[in-house]
Structure formats: C-alpha cells, structure tokens
Amino acid sequence: MDNFNNDKKTFLSKLDKSKKGEIDERIVPIIQLINSKSDYYTTSSCSGRVYLWRGNGKKNQTEWLRVSHSLVDEAFFQIQEKGLIWLRLEDFILHICCRDLGSANKLLLKARKLYKKSCILSASKKIMVEIRGSELLEVPLYEDGQLLFNGELSWLKEEVNSRFNKIWKKEEEFKEIIKNKIK
C-alpha cells in the first residue's frame, strides 16, 4: 500500500476536531462520495453557515454567539449582548487531499465550473485542493444591544435563506459532477 492510501486511511479514522464537533449533515453525502474515490479524501468541510459573532475577527479570538447551518427565522437575529455583534454568512468549503497533481487538476477543472475561487492550497508534502463558494455576507448587526441594521429583520432573514438555497443548489450540482465526472 502506498503513502497516499495509508494517509487516507489514517486521516479518515480520526475524530472530528472542528469547532462544531461534528460534520454538517447536509455535506455528508458529498464527503462520502469524495472519500469513496481512490485519488481523494476530505480533510475539512462546511456546507455553509450563518452566525452571529463578536471579537476582533481573528479565528481564535472570535466568540460565536449563535450558529446555523440551516434556514433561519427572525428570532435567529434577535440577541441582547454587549459589544459589537456581527452577522456573517459563509459559503460551502471543502479541503480535499489529492493523490497527485494530475488528480488535483482534474478536480479543479470540474469544480471551477461552479466554484471559481477553488485552488490548490498546497503542493509540497500533501496536495491539498480547496473548493470554495463565493456567497458571503458580513454586516455589523448590533452595538451594545442596539440594532445597527435599519432594514426589516424579515428582509435579512429572506436574504440569508435565499443565499443558503443558492449554496445548496450548487452543492447538489457539485455532487453530480463528483458522481459522474470524477473516478
């Protein structure tokens, strides 16, 4: 057995170390499909999420106050907290380890039809591809409990949910690409 197969087996047997502590249910079919391919395995993923946060924006210095990987209602946005509270919606993202540059390029060629920002993250010890969507929404929402957004929360809810639906539609298309175009 070669190094790639050993690394794949070892990595896929490890526990989830994400902030959430488990894989998003929605992305599991795509992960399983990719991991069933001989030249690929996933190392991290997110099906898309929306969250309210405070902090300085650095990953390890950000406090998530509320998180959803699903459609939201207006109650999601209603929060009474001190400080500056931000709303952020992030798109689908996958990190995929590839057997070689050929398999990485093949994957990128197909993925970029849907996810233009996809790229090779690393090509030294491991060849890592990032598949990334471009839906993003980030706005300051509250400061010391005062709503900064002067529109209707119903509009904000519709905007977030509309973006989620776009994200999930592309995920389904990507799943079909993996299923039918990547061996």
Side-chain angles (χ1 to χ4, degrees):
M1 193 139 79
D2 65 22
N3 283 346
F4 180 83
N5 289 338
N6 283 333
D7 290 347
K8 179 176 181 175
K9 183 178 177 183
T10 301
F11 191 88
L12 295 179
S13 68
K14 292 181 180 179
L15 295 175
D16 187 334
K17 295 179 185 173
S18 68
K19 198 170 194 172
K20 183 179 177 189
E22 62 185 5
I23 296 172
D24 305 341
E25 216 174 281
R26 182 175 298 281
I27 206 167
V28 168
I30 293 173
I31 288 172
Q32 289 174 336
L33 190 58
I34 291 168
N35 290 338
S36 74
K37 307 293 182 177
S38 62
D39 291 340
Y40 308 98
Y41 65 93
T42 59
T43 62
S44 67
S45 63
C46 181
S47 64
R49 64 182 164 220
V50 61
Y51 56 98
L52 301 177
W53 66 275
R54 73 174 153 211
N56 63 13
K58 293 180 182 171
K59 191 173 184 177
N60 60 349
Q61 296 174 356
T62 298
E63 178 186 5
W64 289 8
L65 303 169
R66 191 168 287 160
V67 182
S68 179
H69 291 79
S70 303
L71 299 178
V72 296
D73 57 18
E74 288 177 41
F76 178 85
F77 304 103
Q78 296 167 354
I79 191 167
Q80 289 293 317
E81 294 282 340
K82 292 284 184 203
L84 183 59
I85 309 302
W86 289 78
L87 164 71
R88 183 175 175 97
L89 178 130
E90 297 175 339
D91 205 333
F92 168 88
I93 187 168
L94 266 176
H95 290 139
I96 303 169
C97 193
C98 305
R99 182 178 298 277
D100 52 35
L101 281 174
S103 58
N105 283 326
K106 181 178 181 179
L107 179 61
L108 275 176
L109 248 147
K110 304 297 183 194
R112 282 189 177 147
K113 292 177 182 176
L114 293 170
Y115 301 111
K116 307 274 186 256
K117 293 187 173 198
S118 298
C119 64
I120 293 178
L121 283 181
S122 168
S124 55
K125 292 180 183 178
K126 291 184 180 182
I127 300 168
M128 191 68 65
V129 166
E130 180 179 76
I131 309 296
R132 173 185 287 278
S134 55
E135 287 294 329
L136 178 67
L137 175 67
E138 187 164 41
V139 294
L141 195 58
Y142 289 97
E143 186 160 29
D144 294 328
Q146 293 295 313
L147 187 63
L148 298 174
F149 176 75
N150 66 0
E152 294 293 321
L153 287 181
S154 61
W155 178 88
L156 195 55
K157 173 196 77 154
E158 291 302 320
E159 183 64 21
V160 166
N161 290 342
S162 171
R163 288 178 187 228
F164 265 139
N165 285 321
K166 287 178 191 173
I167 290 167
W168 298 335
K169 183 178 184 285
K170 276 188 178 179
E171 284 175 20
E172 286 303 311
E173 292 174 40
F174 184 61
K175 188 167 69 175
E176 288 305 307
I177 287 171
I178 296 296
K179 190 184 294 183
N180 297 316
K181 308 271 187 200
I182 303 291
K183 59 178 181 164

PDB file of all heavy atoms in Angstrom, residues 117-153:
ATOM      1  N   LYS A 117     -13.454  30.284  -7.112  1.00  0.00           N
ATOM      2  CA  LYS A 117     -12.360  30.596  -6.196  1.00  0.00           C
ATOM      3  C   LYS A 117     -11.578  29.361  -5.745  1.00  0.00           C
ATOM      4  O   LYS A 117     -10.701  29.465  -4.902  1.00  0.00           O
ATOM      5  CB  LYS A 117     -12.897  31.337  -4.966  1.00  0.00           C
ATOM      6  CG  LYS A 117     -13.417  32.711  -5.294  1.00  0.00           C
ATOM      7  CD  LYS A 117     -13.780  33.466  -4.052  1.00  0.00           C
ATOM      8  CE  LYS A 117     -14.132  34.893  -4.424  1.00  0.00           C
ATOM      9  NZ  LYS A 117     -14.094  35.773  -3.272  1.00  0.00           N
ATOM     10  N   SER A 118     -11.898  28.211  -6.283  1.00  0.00           N
ATOM     11  CA  SER A 118     -11.207  26.981  -5.901  1.00  0.00           C
ATOM     12  C   SER A 118      -9.756  27.028  -6.360  1.00  0.00           C
ATOM     13  O   SER A 118      -9.436  27.626  -7.388  1.00  0.00           O
ATOM     14  CB  SER A 118     -11.919  25.780  -6.521  1.00  0.00           C
ATOM     15  OG  SER A 118     -13.241  25.711  -6.028  1.00  0.00           O
ATOM     16  N   CYS A 119      -8.875  26.383  -5.572  1.00  0.00           N
ATOM     17  CA  CYS A 119      -7.449  26.463  -5.878  1.00  0.00           C
ATOM     18  C   CYS A 119      -6.684  25.312  -5.221  1.00  0.00           C
ATOM     19  O   CYS A 119      -7.231  24.586  -4.398  1.00  0.00           O
ATOM     20  CB  CYS A 119      -6.879  27.783  -5.372  1.00  0.00           C
ATOM     21  SG  CYS A 119      -6.967  27.949  -3.579  1.00  0.00           S
ATOM     22  N   ILE A 120      -5.419  25.192  -5.588  1.00  0.00           N
ATOM     23  CA  ILE A 120      -4.510  24.277  -4.899  1.00  0.00           C
ATOM     24  C   ILE A 120      -3.923  25.052  -3.729  1.00  0.00           C
ATOM     25  O   ILE A 120      -3.303  26.103  -3.920  1.00  0.00           O
ATOM     26  CB  ILE A 120      -3.408  23.750  -5.837  1.00  0.00           C
ATOM     27  CG1 ILE A 120      -4.036  22.858  -6.911  1.00  0.00           C
ATOM     28  CG2 ILE A 120      -2.341  22.994  -5.048  1.00  0.00           C
ATOM     29  CD1 ILE A 120      -3.059  22.313  -7.936  1.00  0.00           C
ATOM     30  N   LEU A 121      -4.135  24.557  -2.525  1.00  0.00           N
ATOM     31  CA  LEU A 121      -3.623  25.216  -1.317  1.00  0.00           C
ATOM     32  C   LEU A 121      -2.186  24.829  -1.035  1.00  0.00           C
ATOM     33  O   LEU A 121      -1.412  25.623  -0.528  1.00  0.00           O
ATOM     34  CB  LEU A 121      -4.460  24.823  -0.091  1.00  0.00           C
ATOM     35  CG  LEU A 121      -5.808  25.470   0.097  1.00  0.00           C
ATOM     36  CD1 LEU A 121      -6.452  24.962   1.378  1.00  0.00           C
ATOM     37  CD2 LEU A 121      -5.690  26.978   0.138  1.00  0.00           C
ATOM     38  N   SER A 122      -1.859  23.578  -1.331  1.00  0.00           N
ATOM     39  CA  SER A 122      -0.531  23.061  -1.009  1.00  0.00           C
ATOM     40  C   SER A 122      -0.150  22.008  -2.038  1.00  0.00           C
ATOM     41  O   SER A 122      -0.993  21.220  -2.474  1.00  0.00           O
ATOM     42  CB  SER A 122      -0.565  22.440   0.386  1.00  0.00           C
ATOM     43  OG  SER A 122       0.602  21.693   0.619  1.00  0.00           O
ATOM     44  N   ALA A 123       1.108  22.005  -2.397  1.00  0.00           N
ATOM     45  CA  ALA A 123       1.584  21.007  -3.357  1.00  0.00           C
ATOM     46  C   ALA A 123       2.933  20.437  -2.929  1.00  0.00           C
ATOM     47  O   ALA A 123       3.659  19.892  -3.743  1.00  0.00           O
ATOM     48  CB  ALA A 123       1.677  21.613  -4.749  1.00  0.00           C
ATOM     49  N   SER A 124       3.266  20.571  -1.658  1.00  0.00           N
ATOM     50  CA  SER A 124       4.563  20.050  -1.205  1.00  0.00           C
ATOM     51  C   SER A 124       4.392  18.641  -0.635  1.00  0.00           C
ATOM     52  O   SER A 124       4.406  17.671  -1.385  1.00  0.00           O
ATOM     53  CB  SER A 124       5.203  21.001  -0.202  1.00  0.00           C
ATOM     54  OG  SER A 124       4.322  21.262   0.877  1.00  0.00           O
ATOM     55  N   LYS A 125       4.232  18.490   0.666  1.00  0.00           N
ATOM     56  CA  LYS A 125       4.105  17.154   1.258  1.00  0.00           C
ATOM     57  C   LYS A 125       2.796  16.487   0.858  1.00  0.00           C
ATOM     58  O   LYS A 125       2.766  15.322   0.501  1.00  0.00           O
ATOM     59  CB  LYS A 125       4.207  17.234   2.777  1.00  0.00           C
ATOM     60  CG  LYS A 125       5.584  17.630   3.265  1.00  0.00           C
ATOM     61  CD  LYS A 125       5.630  17.686   4.766  1.00  0.00           C
ATOM     62  CE  LYS A 125       7.005  18.155   5.206  1.00  0.00           C
ATOM     63  NZ  LYS A 125       7.119  18.292   6.640  1.00  0.00           N
ATOM     64  N   LYS A 126       1.716  17.237   0.969  1.00  0.00           N
ATOM     65  CA  LYS A 126       0.408  16.746   0.546  1.00  0.00           C
ATOM     66  C   LYS A 126      -0.157  17.726  -0.460  1.00  0.00           C
ATOM     67  O   LYS A 126       0.050  18.926  -0.348  1.00  0.00           O
ATOM     68  CB  LYS A 126      -0.549  16.639   1.747  1.00  0.00           C
ATOM     69  CG  LYS A 126      -0.176  15.547   2.712  1.00  0.00           C
ATOM     70  CD  LYS A 126      -1.205  15.426   3.801  1.00  0.00           C
ATOM     71  CE  LYS A 126      -0.779  14.316   4.746  1.00  0.00           C
ATOM     72  NZ  LYS A 126      -1.729  14.090   5.809  1.00  0.00           N
ATOM     73  N   ILE A 127      -0.879  17.207  -1.422  1.00  0.00           N
ATOM     74  CA  ILE A 127      -1.505  18.064  -2.426  1.00  0.00           C
ATOM     75  C   ILE A 127      -2.935  18.309  -1.968  1.00  0.00           C
ATOM     76  O   ILE A 127      -3.759  17.396  -1.935  1.00  0.00           O
ATOM     77  CB  ILE A 127      -1.445  17.417  -3.821  1.00  0.00           C
ATOM     78  CG1 ILE A 127       0.028  17.207  -4.194  1.00  0.00           C
ATOM     79  CG2 ILE A 127      -2.172  18.277  -4.834  1.00  0.00           C
ATOM     80  CD1 ILE A 127       0.257  16.338  -5.384  1.00  0.00           C
ATOM     81  N   MET A 128      -3.194  19.559  -1.582  1.00  0.00           N
ATOM     82  CA  MET A 128      -4.471  19.922  -0.995  1.00  0.00           C
ATOM     83  C   MET A 128      -5.196  20.917  -1.893  1.00  0.00           C
ATOM     84  O   MET A 128      -4.636  21.944  -2.278  1.00  0.00           O
ATOM     85  CB  MET A 128      -4.239  20.559   0.381  1.00  0.00           C
ATOM     86  CG  MET A 128      -5.474  20.745   1.196  1.00  0.00           C
ATOM     87  SD  MET A 128      -6.214  19.205   1.749  1.00  0.00           S
ATOM     88  CE  MET A 128      -4.930  18.578   2.827  1.00  0.00           C
ATOM     89  N   VAL A 129      -6.445  20.599  -2.207  1.00  0.00           N
ATOM     90  CA  VAL A 129      -7.294  21.460  -3.017  1.00  0.00           C
ATOM     91  C   VAL A 129      -8.371  22.047  -2.119  1.00  0.00           C
ATOM     92  O   VAL A 129      -8.907  21.365  -1.251  1.00  0.00           O
ATOM     93  CB  VAL A 129      -7.941  20.653  -4.174  1.00  0.00           C
ATOM     94  CG1 VAL A 129      -9.068  21.417  -4.831  1.00  0.00           C
ATOM     95  CG2 VAL A 129      -6.885  20.275  -5.200  1.00  0.00           C
ATOM     96  N   GLU A 130      -8.662  23.321  -2.344  1.00  0.00           N
ATOM     97  CA  GLU A 130      -9.762  23.974  -1.642  1.00  0.00           C
ATOM     98  C   GLU A 130     -10.865  24.270  -2.648  1.00  0.00           C
ATOM     99  O   GLU A 130     -10.620  24.927  -3.659  1.00  0.00           O
ATOM    100  CB  GLU A 130      -9.290  25.285  -1.003  1.00  0.00           C
ATOM    101  CG  GLU A 130     -10.401  26.006  -0.260  1.00  0.00           C
ATOM    102  CD  GLU A 130      -9.913  27.275   0.393  1.00  0.00           C
ATOM    103  OE1 GLU A 130      -9.706  28.274  -0.344  1.00  0.00           O
ATOM    104  OE2 GLU A 130      -9.736  27.271   1.622  1.00  0.00           O
ATOM    105  N   ILE A 131     -12.045  23.744  -2.371  1.00  0.00           N
ATOM    106  CA  ILE A 131     -13.234  24.044  -3.168  1.00  0.00           C
ATOM    107  C   ILE A 131     -14.024  25.049  -2.338  1.00  0.00           C
ATOM    108  O   ILE A 131     -14.417  24.748  -1.213  1.00  0.00           O
ATOM    109  CB  ILE A 131     -14.093  22.784  -3.431  1.00  0.00           C
ATOM    110  CG1 ILE A 131     -13.245  21.628  -3.980  1.00  0.00           C
ATOM    111  CG2 ILE A 131     -15.269  23.111  -4.325  1.00  0.00           C
ATOM    112  CD1 ILE A 131     -12.622  21.856  -5.315  1.00  0.00           C
ATOM    113  N   ARG A 132     -14.235  26.233  -2.880  1.00  0.00           N
ATOM    114  CA  ARG A 132     -14.841  27.313  -2.094  1.00  0.00           C
ATOM    115  C   ARG A 132     -15.861  28.085  -2.923  1.00  0.00           C
ATOM    116  O   ARG A 132     -15.570  28.524  -4.025  1.00  0.00           O
ATOM    117  CB  ARG A 132     -13.755  28.265  -1.630  1.00  0.00           C
ATOM    118  CG  ARG A 132     -14.259  29.526  -0.948  1.00  0.00           C
ATOM    119  CD  ARG A 132     -13.148  30.485  -0.611  1.00  0.00           C
ATOM    120  NE  ARG A 132     -12.340  30.024   0.493  1.00  0.00           N
ATOM    121  CZ  ARG A 132     -12.647  30.176   1.777  1.00  0.00           C
ATOM    122  NH1 ARG A 132     -13.779  30.738   2.108  1.00  0.00           N
ATOM    123  NH2 ARG A 132     -11.841  29.749   2.712  1.00  0.00           N
ATOM    124  N   GLY A 133     -17.030  28.258  -2.324  1.00  0.00           N
ATOM    125  CA  GLY A 133     -18.049  29.102  -2.929  1.00  0.00           C
ATOM    126  C   GLY A 133     -17.769  30.563  -2.635  1.00  0.00           C
ATOM    127  O   GLY A 133     -16.887  30.894  -1.832  1.00  0.00           O
ATOM    128  N   SER A 134     -18.521  31.451  -3.268  1.00  0.00           N
ATOM    129  CA  SER A 134     -18.255  32.882  -3.100  1.00  0.00           C
ATOM    130  C   SER A 134     -19.411  33.652  -2.478  1.00  0.00           C
ATOM    131  O   SER A 134     -19.366  34.881  -2.420  1.00  0.00           O
ATOM    132  CB  SER A 134     -17.871  33.500  -4.453  1.00  0.00           C
ATOM    133  OG  SER A 134     -18.863  33.235  -5.404  1.00  0.00           O
ATOM    134  N   GLU A 135     -20.449  32.955  -2.019  1.00  0.00           N
ATOM    135  CA  GLU A 135     -21.520  33.647  -1.296  1.00  0.00           C
ATOM    136  C   GLU A 135     -20.974  34.088   0.051  1.00  0.00           C
ATOM    137  O   GLU A 135     -20.487  33.283   0.822  1.00  0.00           O
ATOM    138  CB  GLU A 135     -22.716  32.710  -1.068  1.00  0.00           C
ATOM    139  CG  GLU A 135     -23.536  32.421  -2.295  1.00  0.00           C
ATOM    140  CD  GLU A 135     -24.276  33.623  -2.849  1.00  0.00           C
ATOM    141  OE1 GLU A 135     -24.673  34.521  -2.078  1.00  0.00           O
ATOM    142  OE2 GLU A 135     -24.464  33.668  -4.067  1.00  0.00           O
ATOM    143  N   LEU A 136     -21.047  35.349   0.320  1.00  0.00           N
ATOM    144  CA  LEU A 136     -20.580  35.881   1.603  1.00  0.00           C
ATOM    145  C   LEU A 136     -21.441  37.075   1.951  1.00  0.00           C
ATOM    146  O   LEU A 136     -21.795  37.883   1.087  1.00  0.00           O
ATOM    147  CB  LEU A 136     -19.110  36.307   1.508  1.00  0.00           C
ATOM    148  CG  LEU A 136     -18.509  36.933   2.756  1.00  0.00           C
ATOM    149  CD1 LEU A 136     -18.412  35.921   3.897  1.00  0.00           C
ATOM    150  CD2 LEU A 136     -17.143  37.517   2.462  1.00  0.00           C
ATOM    151  N   LEU A 137     -21.771  37.173   3.215  1.00  0.00           N
ATOM    152  CA  LEU A 137     -22.499  38.321   3.727  1.00  0.00           C
ATOM    153  C   LEU A 137     -21.938  38.607   5.108  1.00  0.00           C
ATOM    154  O   LEU A 137     -21.860  37.702   5.942  1.00  0.00           O
ATOM    155  CB  LEU A 137     -24.003  37.992   3.818  1.00  0.00           C
ATOM    156  CG  LEU A 137     -24.906  39.045   4.440  1.00  0.00           C
ATOM    157  CD1 LEU A 137     -24.972  40.284   3.552  1.00  0.00           C
ATOM    158  CD2 LEU A 137     -26.297  38.474   4.628  1.00  0.00           C
ATOM    159  N   GLU A 138     -21.484  39.827   5.322  1.00  0.00           N
ATOM    160  CA  GLU A 138     -20.993  40.185   6.650  1.00  0.00           C
ATOM    161  C   GLU A 138     -21.361  41.631   6.921  1.00  0.00           C
ATOM    162  O   GLU A 138     -21.017  42.517   6.150  1.00  0.00           O
ATOM    163  CB  GLU A 138     -19.487  39.977   6.773  1.00  0.00           C
ATOM    164  CG  GLU A 138     -19.016  40.196   8.196  1.00  0.00           C
ATOM    165  CD  GLU A 138     -17.631  39.644   8.445  1.00  0.00           C
ATOM    166  OE1 GLU A 138     -16.749  39.791   7.589  1.00  0.00           O
ATOM    167  OE2 GLU A 138     -17.442  39.053   9.523  1.00  0.00           O
ATOM    168  N   VAL A 139     -22.085  41.824   8.021  1.00  0.00           N
ATOM    169  CA  VAL A 139     -22.512  43.168   8.405  1.00  0.00           C
ATOM    170  C   VAL A 139     -22.481  43.305   9.926  1.00  0.00           C
ATOM    171  O   VAL A 139     -22.775  42.349  10.641  1.00  0.00           O
ATOM    172  CB  VAL A 139     -23.937  43.499   7.905  1.00  0.00           C
ATOM    173  CG1 VAL A 139     -24.016  43.573   6.408  1.00  0.00           C
ATOM    174  CG2 VAL A 139     -24.955  42.510   8.432  1.00  0.00           C
ATOM    175  N   PRO A 140     -22.127  44.498  10.406  1.00  0.00           N
ATOM    176  CA  PRO A 140     -22.298  44.734  11.840  1.00  0.00           C
ATOM    177  C   PRO A 140     -23.802  44.805  12.108  1.00  0.00           C
ATOM    178  O   PRO A 140     -24.527  45.482  11.382  1.00  0.00           O
ATOM    179  CB  PRO A 140     -21.609  46.081  12.063  1.00  0.00           C
ATOM    180  CG  PRO A 140     -21.561  46.744  10.727  1.00  0.00           C
ATOM    181  CD  PRO A 140     -21.599  45.650   9.706  1.00  0.00           C
ATOM    182  N   LEU A 141     -24.263  44.088  13.117  1.00  0.00           N
ATOM    183  CA  LEU A 141     -25.706  43.989  13.331  1.00  0.00           C
ATOM    184  C   LEU A 141     -26.168  44.739  14.579  1.00  0.00           C
ATOM    185  O   LEU A 141     -27.187  45.418  14.542  1.00  0.00           O
ATOM    186  CB  LEU A 141     -26.103  42.510  13.418  1.00  0.00           C
ATOM    187  CG  LEU A 141     -27.575  42.192  13.297  1.00  0.00           C
ATOM    188  CD1 LEU A 141     -28.153  42.700  11.986  1.00  0.00           C
ATOM    189  CD2 LEU A 141     -27.809  40.692  13.428  1.00  0.00           C
ATOM    190  N   TYR A 142     -25.420  44.608  15.674  1.00  0.00           N
ATOM    191  CA  TYR A 142     -25.769  45.271  16.926  1.00  0.00           C
ATOM    192  C   TYR A 142     -24.543  45.923  17.539  1.00  0.00           C
ATOM    193  O   TYR A 142     -23.426  45.443  17.358  1.00  0.00           O
ATOM    194  CB  TYR A 142     -26.281  44.256  17.962  1.00  0.00           C
ATOM    195  CG  TYR A 142     -27.636  43.675  17.676  1.00  0.00           C
ATOM    196  CD1 TYR A 142     -27.761  42.432  17.057  1.00  0.00           C
ATOM    197  CD2 TYR A 142     -28.796  44.347  18.048  1.00  0.00           C
ATOM    198  CE1 TYR A 142     -29.000  41.887  16.807  1.00  0.00           C
ATOM    199  CE2 TYR A 142     -30.047  43.794  17.804  1.00  0.00           C
ATOM    200  CZ  TYR A 142     -30.144  42.569  17.182  1.00  0.00           C
ATOM    201  OH  TYR A 142     -31.376  42.031  16.944  1.00  0.00           O
ATOM    202  N   GLU A 143     -24.775  46.982  18.278  1.00  0.00           N
ATOM    203  CA  GLU A 143     -23.744  47.510  19.150  1.00  0.00           C
ATOM    204  C   GLU A 143     -24.392  47.778  20.502  1.00  0.00           C
ATOM    205  O   GLU A 143     -25.337  48.569  20.589  1.00  0.00           O
ATOM    206  CB  GLU A 143     -23.106  48.780  18.595  1.00  0.00           C
ATOM    207  CG  GLU A 143     -21.934  49.211  19.463  1.00  0.00           C
ATOM    208  CD  GLU A 143     -20.982  50.143  18.741  1.00  0.00           C
ATOM    209  OE1 GLU A 143     -21.413  50.883  17.848  1.00  0.00           O
ATOM    210  OE2 GLU A 143     -19.787  50.110  19.075  1.00  0.00           O
ATOM    211  N   ASP A 144     -23.904  47.050  21.499  1.00  0.00           N
ATOM    212  CA  ASP A 144     -24.449  47.126  22.865  1.00  0.00           C
ATOM    213  C   ASP A 144     -25.973  46.998  22.884  1.00  0.00           C
ATOM    214  O   ASP A 144     -26.666  47.778  23.538  1.00  0.00           O
ATOM    215  CB  ASP A 144     -23.993  48.418  23.551  1.00  0.00           C
ATOM    216  CG  ASP A 144     -22.493  48.431  23.792  1.00  0.00           C
ATOM    217  OD1 ASP A 144     -21.915  47.343  24.009  1.00  0.00           O
ATOM    218  OD2 ASP A 144     -21.898  49.519  23.755  1.00  0.00           O
ATOM    219  N   GLY A 145     -26.481  46.025  22.135  1.00  0.00           N
ATOM    220  CA  GLY A 145     -27.913  45.737  22.142  1.00  0.00           C
ATOM    221  C   GLY A 145     -28.751  46.577  21.194  1.00  0.00           C
ATOM    222  O   GLY A 145     -29.931  46.314  21.015  1.00  0.00           O
ATOM    223  N   GLN A 146     -28.153  47.588  20.563  1.00  0.00           N
ATOM    224  CA  GLN A 146     -28.887  48.455  19.625  1.00  0.00           C
ATOM    225  C   GLN A 146     -28.696  47.935  18.198  1.00  0.00           C
ATOM    226  O   GLN A 146     -27.560  47.768  17.741  1.00  0.00           O
ATOM    227  CB  GLN A 146     -28.380  49.900  19.713  1.00  0.00           C
ATOM    228  CG  GLN A 146     -28.694  50.578  21.021  1.00  0.00           C
ATOM    229  CD  GLN A 146     -30.189  50.754  21.225  1.00  0.00           C
ATOM    230  OE1 GLN A 146     -30.905  51.204  20.344  1.00  0.00           O
ATOM    231  NE2 GLN A 146     -30.662  50.347  22.400  1.00  0.00           N
ATOM    232  N   LEU A 147     -29.797  47.692  17.510  1.00  0.00           N
ATOM    233  CA  LEU A 147     -29.758  47.201  16.137  1.00  0.00           C
ATOM    234  C   LEU A 147     -29.166  48.276  15.230  1.00  0.00           C
ATOM    235  O   LEU A 147     -29.633  49.413  15.211  1.00  0.00           O
ATOM    236  CB  LEU A 147     -31.178  46.830  15.674  1.00  0.00           C
ATOM    237  CG  LEU A 147     -31.305  46.148  14.330  1.00  0.00           C
ATOM    238  CD1 LEU A 147     -30.581  44.797  14.338  1.00  0.00           C
ATOM    239  CD2 LEU A 147     -32.778  45.941  13.989  1.00  0.00           C
ATOM    240  N   LEU A 148     -28.115  47.938  14.492  1.00  0.00           N
ATOM    241  CA  LEU A 148     -27.478  48.860  13.554  1.00  0.00           C
ATOM    242  C   LEU A 148     -28.096  48.771  12.162  1.00  0.00           C
ATOM    243  O   LEU A 148     -28.062  49.732  11.402  1.00  0.00           O
ATOM    244  CB  LEU A 148     -25.973  48.560  13.466  1.00  0.00           C
ATOM    245  CG  LEU A 148     -25.176  48.714  14.757  1.00  0.00           C
ATOM    246  CD1 LEU A 148     -23.750  48.235  14.552  1.00  0.00           C
ATOM    247  CD2 LEU A 148     -25.213  50.143  15.269  1.00  0.00           C
ATOM    248  N   PHE A 149     -28.626  47.633  11.831  1.00  0.00           N
ATOM    249  CA  PHE A 149     -29.273  47.401  10.541  1.00  0.00           C
ATOM    250  C   PHE A 149     -30.617  48.117  10.563  1.00  0.00           C
ATOM    251  O   PHE A 149     -31.450  47.852  11.416  1.00  0.00           O
ATOM    252  CB  PHE A 149     -29.450  45.884  10.344  1.00  0.00           C
ATOM    253  CG  PHE A 149     -30.188  45.495   9.101  1.00  0.00           C
ATOM    254  CD1 PHE A 149     -29.577  45.571   7.870  1.00  0.00           C
ATOM    255  CD2 PHE A 149     -31.495  45.043   9.167  1.00  0.00           C
ATOM    256  CE1 PHE A 149     -30.249  45.206   6.714  1.00  0.00           C
ATOM    257  CE2 PHE A 149     -32.172  44.673   8.025  1.00  0.00           C
ATOM    258  CZ  PHE A 149     -31.553  44.753   6.803  1.00  0.00           C
ATOM    259  N   ASN A 150     -30.844  49.053   9.648  1.00  0.00           N
ATOM    260  CA  ASN A 150     -32.086  49.814   9.714  1.00  0.00           C
ATOM    261  C   ASN A 150     -33.158  49.311   8.759  1.00  0.00           C
ATOM    262  O   ASN A 150     -34.143  49.986   8.524  1.00  0.00           O
ATOM    263  CB  ASN A 150     -31.831  51.318   9.547  1.00  0.00           C
ATOM    264  CG  ASN A 150     -31.319  51.678   8.171  1.00  0.00           C
ATOM    265  OD1 ASN A 150     -31.154  50.822   7.324  1.00  0.00           O
ATOM    266  ND2 ASN A 150     -31.053  52.945   7.966  1.00  0.00           N
ATOM    267  N   GLY A 151     -32.958  48.113   8.228  1.00  0.00           N
ATOM    268  CA  GLY A 151     -33.994  47.484   7.420  1.00  0.00           C
ATOM    269  C   GLY A 151     -34.847  46.578   8.298  1.00  0.00           C
ATOM    270  O   GLY A 151     -34.733  46.586   9.522  1.00  0.00           O
ATOM    271  N   GLU A 152     -35.693  45.805   7.681  1.00  0.00           N
ATOM    272  CA  GLU A 152     -36.539  44.867   8.403  1.00  0.00           C
ATOM    273  C   GLU A 152     -35.787  43.553   8.599  1.00  0.00           C
ATOM    274  O   GLU A 152     -35.127  43.070   7.670  1.00  0.00           O
ATOM    275  CB  GLU A 152     -37.826  44.595   7.614  1.00  0.00           C
ATOM    276  CG  GLU A 152     -38.727  45.803   7.478  1.00  0.00           C
ATOM    277  CD  GLU A 152     -39.319  46.226   8.810  1.00  0.00           C
ATOM    278  OE1 GLU A 152     -39.675  45.342   9.617  1.00  0.00           O
ATOM    279  OE2 GLU A 152     -39.415  47.449   9.045  1.00  0.00           O
ATOM    280  N   LEU A 153     -35.899  42.972   9.788  1.00  0.00           N
ATOM    281  CA  LEU A 153     -35.274  41.667  10.029  1.00  0.00           C
ATOM    282  C   LEU A 153     -35.864  40.602   9.105  1.00  0.00           C
ATOM    283  O   LEU A 153     -35.185  39.650   8.745  1.00  0.00           O
ATOM    284  CB  LEU A 153     -35.413  41.255  11.490  1.00  0.00           C
ATOM    285  CG  LEU A 153     -34.522  42.024  12.473  1.00  0.00           C
ATOM    286  CD1 LEU A 153     -34.736  41.521  13.896  1.00  0.00           C
ATOM    287  CD2 LEU A 153     -33.059  41.945  12.097  1.00  0.00           C
TER     288      LEU A 153
END
